[in-house]
Amino acid sequence: MRRELPERSGSGETGSDAARRARGFTLVELLLAIAFLAVLGAMAVPPFADRLRAEKVRASALAIRALLHQTRAEAAARSTQVAVVFDPPSRGSGSRIPGSADSPVIAVYLDANHNGVRRSEIAAGRERLLENPWRFGNRFPGVSWGAPAGAGGSDAIPGLAVGAAGMISFSPLGGSGPGRITVSGEGVVYSVVIHGGSARIRLERRAGDRWIPA
């Protein structure tokens, strides 16, 4: 009886070799591909993590800006002064430790007797609390209040630069005093700037020795 010999491909492979190739990658090839992808992923993780932390700094500044916009709207809606109050009133560059005493407690008060939001009346319980106090470092862990020297190419910047009372108060017409609130981390520095009179509120980023719109 005549026995058929295995057919060979033009490259010298037997029919079984060609069939195995057609089925896909071998286990060794798959393991090598997975290892290669794992190496690429490990190389990408640190920059991505740094980017996320930098975005967290920006998000904290945006949250402060949103709070100021909300406070100005409350003053207009209630036809009385409403203030964002910071305790302690003034501090330098903040600590990166969550809950540190270097980050302020922030609250919103309404002028209950139409003579302006005053520290003495807050202490006496005569001003109306609109938003419960919360500590910046607890809500935004890892974000510094203020900026240390060298961050963003700058000298040290305090977290809060407003009047001596340590508050930003909005009138029913939307006016306020000027001020700047600064946060930083991962080499980036952001400020929320309040322009007096018009009470325009804008976000800026430190670039070298100057501020640019963010």
Side-chain angles (χ1 to χ4, degrees), residues 12 26 71 81 117 153 182:
T26 66
T71 303
Q81 285 196 2
V117 178
T182 302

Side-chain angles (χ1 to χ4, degrees), residues 69-110:
H69 278 298
Q70 178 186 344
T71 303
R72 183 172 62 183
E74 287 284 352
R78 297 172 183 269
S79 298
T80 189
Q81 285 196 2
V82 181
V84 180
V85 180
F86 299 84
D87 283 307
S90 181
R91 271 291 175 76
S93 59
S95 169
R96 297 179 68 85
I97 303 173
S100 165
D102 283 331
S103 71
V105 172
I106 301 171
V108 178
Y109 285 91
L110 178 146

Side-chain angles (χ1 to χ4, degrees), residues 9-185:
S9 64
S11 62
E13 290 184 326
T14 65
S16 60
D17 291 335
R20 187 169 63 252
R21 290 287 182 185
R23 283 197 298 269
F25 296 106
T26 66
L27 178 59
V28 173
E29 289 171 330
L30 284 173
L31 291 175
L32 288 174
I34 292 171
F36 179 69
L37 291 174
V39 170
L40 288 180
M43 293 171 62
V45 165
F48 182 68
D50 291 345
R51 176 68 177 174
L52 283 179
R53 287 191 291 268
E55 283 298 316
K56 188 176 182 179
V57 178
R58 184 173 185 271
S60 70
L62 289 172
I64 293 293
R65 186 180 69 173
L67 176 63
L68 294 174
H69 278 298
Q70 178 186 344
T71 303
R72 183 172 62 183
E74 287 284 352
R78 297 172 183 269
S79 298
T80 189
Q81 285 196 2
V82 181
V84 180
V85 180
F86 299 84
D87 283 307
S90 181
R91 271 291 175 76
S93 59
S95 169
R96 297 179 68 85
I97 303 173
S100 165
D102 283 331
S103 71
V105 172
I106 301 171
V108 178
Y109 285 91
L110 178 146
D111 176 19
N113 50 13
H114 302 284
N115 65 344
V117 178
R118 300 184 179 185
R119 287 274 178 182
S120 59
E121 294 188 349
I122 290 175
R126 290 197 291 268
E127 305 290 28
R128 181 179 171 187
L129 180 66
L130 292 184
E131 180 171 330
N132 288 330
W134 51 274
R135 186 173 291 280
F136 178 87
N138 290 343
R139 187 166 293 186
F140 301 104
V143 178
S144 293
W145 181 252
S154 65
D155 295 331
I157 304 172
L160 184 66
V162 295
M167 67 176 71
I168 300 168
S169 185
F170 293 92
S171 73
L173 297 178
S176 76
R180 180 182 291 271
I181 301 167
T182 302
V183 294
S184 65

